[in-house]
Amino acid sequence: EMQLLESGGGLVQPGGSLRVSCAASGFKFTDYAMSWVRQAPGKGLEWVSGLSGGGGATNYADSVKGRFTISKDTSNDTLYLEMKSLRDEDTAIYFCARASCSSVFCYRFALWGRGTLVTVSS
Amino acid sequence: DIQMTQSPSSLSASVGQRVTIACRASQGIASFLNWYQQKPGEAPKLLIFEAIDLQTGVPTRFSGRGSGTDFTLTISSLQPEDSATYYCQQSNKTPPTFGQGTKLEI
């Protein structure tokens, strides 16, 4: 069964750092681009960052560029999002999502994890 | 960035009714339009991709239309389990952007 499982969320102070993870299973990890999409409490969906299937290309929303870094480890089929200089407005559920192809510009998301909650608060 | 605007923001309907949700893009996106369903506490679920194509496993009462800037999602005969929030999303340009959502109550 194809599955994505996020972990690593929690409470962090403004200005702090956190890394969230997404463990993939049931499909060939390198065949698909992956993205992080977030949802602030009671709000809509916001794409955050994407990574190509091969891992060589990345892109970011302007709101997180320079603060967040997306990466993957193909030895354990895990996607990461390293978040630094966190702000109150970064508080959200962070979902990882699998795209339908390997290009970093592929944005049809047919497989999602259940998400991990990141709360930025003092 | 391409802005996606959905209407209405919320609606209430009865079992068996037909409902349509509209989505408008701020610029032309060809047919690069996806629809998702999200229930409380769950991840979004892809329903329709490339404006008109039904994702595998999605009931045929869901259908999509449109191209360019104007799109619709129609549920032909509402079921109780269709109560959810629906989002459109453009996948034509970076960054991919979502509509604000339409909350459907049954």
Side-chain angles (χ1 to χ4, degrees), chain A residues 29-35 47 49-59 72 97-109, chain B residues 91-92 94 96:
Chain A
F29 196 47
T30 52
D31 278 357
Y32 299 92
M34 299 292 295
S35 276
W47 176 84
S49 180
L51 178 67
S52 63
T58 59
N59 49 24
K72 69 198 282 185
R98 192 195 77 177
S100 57
C101 65
S102 64
S103 166
V104 71
F105 302 112
C106 199
Y107 301 125
R108 181 205 310 171
F109 305 122
Chain B
S91 52
N92 187 51
T94 305

Side-chain angles (χ1 to χ4, degrees), chain B residues 32-62:
Chain B
F32 293 102
L33 191 283
N34 308 308
W35 289 98
Y36 299 86
Q37 175 193 65
Q38 187 180 31
K39 297 181 180 180
E42 297 185 5
K45 173 186 174 184
L46 179 65
L47 299 176
I48 301 281
F49 62 94
E50 292 182 4
I52 63 171
D53 290 330
L54 198 65
Q55 176 69 2
T56 302
V58 174
T60 55
R61 64 180 180 273
F62 292 92

Side-chain angles (χ1 to χ4, degrees), chain B residues 30 41 51 64 97:
Chain B
T97 46

Side-chain angles (χ1 to χ4, degrees), chain B residues 71-88:
Chain B
F71 302 85
T72 58
L73 171 70
T74 296
I75 310 173
S76 60
S77 178
L78 278 173
Q79 300 301 304
E81 60 267 29
D82 299 335
S83 184
T85 300
Y86 293 83
Y87 294 94
C88 63

Side-chain angles (χ1 to χ4, degrees), chain A residues 27-106:
Chain A
F27 63 94
K28 190 174 179 184
F29 196 47
T30 52
D31 278 357
Y32 299 92
M34 299 292 295
S35 276
W36 288 97
V37 177
R38 68 185 180 184
Q39 186 169 38
K43 301 297 184 183
L45 300 166
E46 179 190 17
W47 176 84
V48 172
S49 180
L51 178 67
S52 63
T58 59
N59 49 24
Y60 297 90
D62 286 346
S63 57
V64 306
K65 202 172 292 183
R67 301 188 299 122
F68 289 13
T69 303
I70 190 172
S71 63
K72 69 198 282 185
D73 184 344
T74 54
S75 69
N76 61 9
D77 288 354
T78 301
L79 179 74
Y80 301 101
L81 185 68
E82 185 83 40
M83 301 180 287
K84 298 181 178 179
S85 303
L86 282 161
R87 306 167 181 166
D88 291 352
E89 56 264 34
D90 295 318
T91 293
I93 297 171
Y94 284 75
F95 296 100
C96 65
R98 192 195 77 177
S100 57
C101 65
S102 64
S103 166
V104 71
F105 302 112
C106 199

